[in-house]
């Protein structure tokens, strides 16, 4: 699954990385180190009029356009879309066919869900390998609160922003409704790769830059991009212990990226 992620890159870094067209006047995008469902976040889609990539804000947790009242919809059931059932369930099939987007980020968090499996060995200072550079846990680290679990962050080896496969929906009010229009998105997930599997059996779908155009623009139903919904290569990612305080959405800031 993917229930939290972070973004430290500013709007210009994202625009440059993903070849976004002109940014809207006054568009602001402060860093966010603890992004949770139900918050408004930037996604990248294709502008229907110009054909350029545009950066726009949407709420995380997809709401079907067919819903009468979005306020009564349980969005925590639609923050993630399982790739295995994306063509079987109507709430995903329509967006997958017609409204796909990129979700820009610098990394995502995952909590240890599989303690029964062999865990990664301690990484010594300066050691490299499948898990990348991981700082050793201080010997006199503060003990976490009872019941808290280790949390890890996953990003690219160069620390650059990357993109997850996203689906979006445009909800529009019915006649007589006072509710404003609402655009929402979901993150597609798949089975874990070798790096994430010791922590969790699911991971978000990470797209290669070479596949961005196909994901955003190819709506040929005879060749839908179902083949892109696969685990990302383990050796193309790094895993680092993160701050357990990220479990509380009120906690934010760069210190969420460091183990504590």
């Amino acid at each position: 699954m993917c229930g939290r992620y972070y973004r430290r890159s500013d709007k210009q870094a994202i625009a440059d990385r993903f070849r976004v067209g002109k940014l809207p006047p006054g568009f602001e995008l402060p860093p966010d180190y603890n992004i949770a469902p139900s918050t408004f976040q930037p996604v990248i889609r294709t502008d229907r009029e110009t054909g350029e990539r545009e950066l726009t804000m949407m709420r995380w947790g997809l709401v079907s356009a067919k819903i009468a009242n979005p306020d009564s919809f349980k969005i925590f059931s639609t923050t993630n879309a399982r790739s295995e059932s994306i063509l079987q369930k109507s709430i995903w099939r329509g967006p997958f066919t017609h409204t796909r987007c990129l979700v820009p980020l610098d990394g995502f968090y995952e909590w240890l869900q599989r303690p029964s499996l062999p865990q990664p060995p301690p990484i010594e200072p300066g050691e490299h390998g499948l898990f990348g550079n991981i700082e050793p846990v201080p010997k006199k680290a503060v003990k976490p609160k009872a019941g808290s679990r280790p949390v890890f962050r996953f990003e690219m080896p160069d620390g650059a922003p990357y993109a997850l496969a996203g689906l979006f929906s445009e909800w529009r009010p019915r006649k007589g409704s006072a509710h404003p229009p609402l655009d929402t998105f979901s993150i597609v997930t798949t089975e874990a790769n070798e790096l994430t599997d010791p922590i969790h059996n699911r991971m978000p779908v990470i797209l290669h830059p070479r596949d961005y155009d196909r994901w955003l623009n190819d709506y040929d139903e005879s060749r839908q991009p179902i083949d892109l919904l696969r685990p990302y290569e383990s050796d193309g990612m790094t895993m680092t212990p993160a701050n357990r305080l990220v479990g509380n959405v009120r906690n934010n800031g760069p210190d969420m990226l460091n183990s504590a």
Side-chain angles (χ1 to χ4, degrees):
M1 64 174 295
C2 180
R4 296 286 176 83
Y5 64 97
Y6 58 93
R7 184 189 62 257
R8 58 176 172 244
S9 298
D10 61 22
K11 62 182 180 181
Q12 195 57 54
I14 292 176
D16 293 343
R17 182 75 173 183
F18 299 101
R19 304 200 314 273
V20 173
K22 187 177 180 180
L23 293 171
F27 186 86
E28 297 296 332
L29 191 64
D32 194 337
Y33 295 90
N34 196 356
I35 296 173
S38 80
T39 61
F40 282 85
Q41 301 300 329
V43 302
I44 298 166
R45 65 181 176 184
T46 300
D47 185 290
R48 294 189 179 99
E49 295 183 359
T50 66
E52 292 185 323
R53 295 178 187 174
E54 65 172 352
L55 192 63
T56 185
M57 301 298 286
M58 295 188 185
R59 195 179 76 181
W60 186 12
L62 188 140
V63 174
S64 171
K66 299 178 181 179
I67 297 297
N69 181 9
D71 291 336
S72 63
F73 188 76
K74 298 180 179 179
I75 59 111
F76 289 96
S77 65
T78 57
T79 55
N80 293 164
R82 292 177 66 92
S83 59
E84 295 87 347
S85 57
I86 209 163
L87 293 176
Q88 282 71 51
K89 296 185 177 182
S90 59
I91 193 170
W92 306 129
R93 187 167 58 248
F96 176 70
T97 304
H98 303 293
T99 51
R100 299 189 294 266
C101 62
L102 304 177
V103 181
L105 75 167
D106 286 277
F108 66 92
Y109 298 107
E110 197 56 77
W111 279 261
L112 179 63
Q113 298 280 344
R114 312 183 72 177
S116 61
L117 294 180
Q119 297 307 308
I123 304 297
E124 297 299 329
E127 186 174 343
H128 299 269
L130 180 63
F131 298 98
N133 277 329
I134 300 182
E135 294 297 327
V137 178
K139 293 182 179 179
K140 296 183 178 180
V142 178
K143 293 182 64 176
K145 293 182 179 180
S148 63
R149 289 171 292 158
V151 58
F152 299 84
R153 59 183 175 96
F154 298 85
E155 57 182 60
M156 297 294 104
D158 61 358
Y162 57 102
L164 306 181
L167 310 175
F168 73 91
S169 175
E170 299 172 314
W171 184 91
R172 296 297 177 262
R174 275 56 168 173
K175 185 177 181 180
S177 172
H179 201 293
L182 179 65
D183 293 344
T184 58
F185 73 97
S186 176
I187 292 172
V188 185
T189 65
T190 186
E191 61 185 5
N193 61 20
E194 293 180 358
L195 180 64
T196 60
D197 187 64
I199 308 302
H200 199 285
N201 63 353
R202 305 288 298 176
M203 68 177 293
V205 173
I206 301 172
L207 295 171
H208 287 277
R210 64 175 180 267
D211 297 320
Y212 291 169
D213 277 338
R214 184 182 170 204
W215 181 257
L216 289 173
N217 303 321
D218 189 354
Y219 297 114
D220 182 357
E221 295 189 28
S222 65
R223 58 184 299 271
Q224 293 180 335
I226 199 74
D227 56 296
L228 300 183
L229 306 183
R230 58 181 183 268
Y232 196 79
E233 297 83 358
S234 295
D235 58 4
M237 302 171 60
T238 63
M239 181 179 79
T240 309
N243 196 325
R244 299 190 191 194
L245 293 177
V246 77
N248 187 325
V249 296
R250 292 190 294 270
N251 297 324
N252 212 311
D255 54 330
M256 294 298 100
L257 304 183
N258 303 315
S259 60

